[in-house]
Amino acid sequence: MPTYRILDQAGRIVDPDCEPPNISTPDLLKLYRNMLTVSILDLIMFDAQRQGRISFYMVSAGEEGIAVGSASSLSPNDPIFAQYRETGIFQYRGFTPPDFMAQLFATRSDPGKGRNMPVHYGSREHNIHTISSPLATQIPQASGAAYAVKMQNARDPTGEQRVVACYFGEGAASEGDFHAALNIAATRACPVVFICRNNGFAISTPTLEQYRGDGIASRGLGYGIDTVRVDGNDVLAVREVTRQARELALEDGGKPVLIEAMSYRVSHHSTSDDSFAYRAKVEVEDWKRRDNPITRLRKYLESKRLWDEAKEKDLRSETRKSILEAYRQAEKEKKPALRNMMEDVYEDLTEEQREQMESMRRTVERYPNEYDVSSYEEGLDGMRPSGQ
């Protein structure tokens, strides 16, 4: 299957006979600023994990264009089911540095109450379902949500017609959940846009050892799903493909669309991984030098005289400053009260949970030197049920 692109690696329009990208200057600059912000955030937080300040991190290096480009063509009201390299979606939809830091440092400002590991963001305000670690579970969930959205669209045909967007890597497409999700979406005609980030590796397994067919795109065709392959390093192409995919997903009451975005994972899989154990460092450095979505868009902006070195320096300085300010503030903030470990499992705490919480509180009270709870909101009293 051919790969759709608008810009080549030098930031030039591939086909000058085609109409130029239909995007305003402010929107163009927003794409660039958001990708660069994610990149700077990743560098700072990767180092923070190495220093022991947070427990875990995953960067989006080389894949920023997929998240940011697709987010720009979705409605803010479209529900999103993400995996874990979609930081750009949160950034595009309005997440701020304090929002990121609250989750990464598990502070009392974290809407998830510190219950999830770092980079597992979620936002009811921005219609993004909380990320979870088990691979591919979000894909059938997205199909189910899309079926619900289909019925909502039908009940209110004059209101905004929504789609669901679901993100995953090509490694997740090896899970049975992927196949079940595509089949139910196809047979029930669910308005869902599946966006696969094919970055070449499922942790340490290269694509050559994952499949022998024509990538993930061929699987969409097998399920009777309209499918397109796009250059994931071309943020403008990703934006255009997602725009058309969304329109297509709403036709005739709804149907699924699969986008395979081709990219390269420049980073290690996570801070728990050393990718140079299974790939050559020179390969990674070559990709960094040859192509990435941020550099490609910058070249295009410079050719249009919309960007220069002075603007680049100012943006990098301003962005780094705002991220570090939020970083320092989050380090000082208290963690959520310890009762949050047990609350919200059921509507009310069970008798057994109350006994366990009281037993935990007595143990901590008995051994204060071994269990310092001063960094948690309410300290020892935070191990009492709410309202007591």
Side-chain angles (χ1 to χ4, degrees):
M1 182 178 291
T3 302
Y4 176 75
R5 56 165 44 174
I6 291 177
L7 301 177
D8 64 17
Q9 294 176 348
R12 297 183 295 254
I13 300 292
V14 173
D15 186 352
D17 293 331
C18 289
E19 293 183 11
N22 183 23
I23 181 171
S24 67
T25 296
D27 285 343
L28 259 178
L29 296 177
K30 182 177 180 179
L31 293 177
Y32 186 74
R33 290 191 179 100
N34 280 310
M35 288 196 296
L36 190 63
T37 298
V38 170
S39 176
I40 294 171
L41 173 70
D42 281 349
L43 289 172
I44 291 173
M45 299 318 298
F46 185 91
D47 287 346
Q49 192 281 334
R50 290 295 189 246
Q51 295 164 12
R53 296 173 185 268
I54 60 174
S55 60
F56 178 82
Y57 196 73
M58 301 183 81
V59 306
S60 304
E63 302 174 58
E64 300 93 342
I66 300 172
V68 173
S70 58
S72 70
S73 285
L74 296 171
S75 163
N77 296 317
D78 289 338
I80 286 179
F81 290 80
Q83 194 162 326
Y84 38 56
R85 291 191 211 282
E86 278 71 55
T87 305
I89 296 172
F90 288 87
Q91 172 67 29
Y92 193 90
R93 286 203 171 182
F95 241 48
T96 63
D99 292 331
F100 285 117
M101 295 304 159
Q103 199 283 326
L104 294 170
F105 284 95
T107 73
R108 60 185 174 185
S109 300
D110 174 22
K113 302 182 181 180
R115 293 170 177 151
N116 223 334
M117 62 192 295
V119 304
H120 290 54
Y121 312 108
S123 175
R124 181 188 296 271
E125 177 188 357
H126 299 298
N127 296 303
I128 309 174
H129 288 257
T130 300
I131 295 166
S132 59
S133 285
L135 197 63
T137 55
Q138 79 277 13
I139 312 178
Q141 292 166 3
S143 293
Y147 189 51
V149 165
K150 176 188 179 77
M151 292 188 287
Q152 291 168 355
N153 288 346
R155 281 201 300 265
D156 185 16
T158 60
E160 181 183 10
Q161 300 295 286
R162 300 186 300 157
V163 304
V164 170
C166 178
Y167 295 79
F168 52 93
E170 90 288 345
S174 295
E175 295 284 340
D177 280 354
F178 166 82
H179 297 277
L182 263 66
N183 193 48
I184 190 68
T187 56
R188 305 308 299 172
C190 302
V192 53
V193 178
F194 296 109
I195 302 174
C196 175
R197 293 176 288 94
N198 191 335
N199 62 20
F201 290 92
I203 306 183
S204 60
T205 306
T207 52
L208 188 62
E209 296 177 23
Q210 294 181 53
Y211 54 76
R212 290 302 170 92
D214 185 14
I216 308 304
S218 60
R219 302 182 193 179
L221 298 176
Y223 283 106
I225 293 176
D226 291 323
T227 303
V228 63
R229 177 175 285 151
V230 64
D231 182 347
N233 283 3
D234 181 353
V235 67
L236 297 184
V238 173
R239 173 187 167 91
E240 178 59 20
V241 160
T242 307
R243 183 188 68 78
Q244 293 193 36
R246 188 181 187 279
E247 290 179 357
L248 198 59
L250 288 171
E251 287 184 1
D252 303 320
K255 58 182 173 179
V257 181
L258 173 63
I259 297 171
E260 182 181 22
M262 310 303 290
S263 188
Y264 183 81
R265 196 193 76 206
V266 172
S267 64
H268 305 297
H269 172 72
S270 72
T271 50
S272 301
D273 174 47
D274 177 12
S275 66
F276 299 138
Y278 52 83
R279 62 178 178 177
K281 189 172 183 178
V282 64
E283 175 187 324
V284 178
E285 294 303 321
D286 181 54
W287 268 97
K288 285 182 179 179
R289 175 188 58 79
R290 185 154 42 100
D291 187 32
N292 75 72
I294 299 175
T295 301
R296 195 187 294 196
L297 184 59
R298 179 181 174 179
K299 290 176 179 177
Y300 177 72
L301 292 174
E302 289 175 340
S303 71
K304 297 293 183 182
R305 301 186 184 279
L306 298 174
W307 204 252
D308 55 37
E309 187 58 37
K311 291 179 180 177
E312 179 80 8
K313 185 178 179 180
D314 288 345
L315 177 59
R316 285 182 175 274
S317 175
E318 174 188 321
T319 302
R320 183 176 174 81
K321 181 180 178 181
S322 65
I323 292 172
L324 287 174
E325 184 178 332
Y327 176 121
R328 287 189 286 267
Q329 184 60 40
E331 278 198 306
K332 299 174 186 175
E333 195 167 349
K334 286 187 179 292
K335 308 292 185 187
L338 286 163
R339 72 171 66 89
N340 288 295
M341 286 193 291
M342 296 186 181
E343 292 189 337
D344 297 334
V345 178
Y346 303 100
E347 184 176 4
D348 298 308
L349 286 174
T350 64
E351 184 178 341
E352 291 82 4
Q353 286 179 310
R354 290 177 181 276
E355 290 174 357
Q356 290 166 6
M357 191 181 295
E358 178 58 24
S359 175
M360 179 175 69
R361 193 189 66 78
R362 286 198 305 266
T363 300
V364 172
E365 193 172 29
R366 188 178 304 126
Y367 303 105
N369 294 330
E370 283 73 20
Y371 300 101
D372 181 10
V373 295
S374 61
S375 62
Y376 293 87
E377 195 172 31
E378 299 181 47
L380 192 62
D381 287 338
M383 281 183 270
R384 299 183 189 278
S386 296
Q388 287 192 10

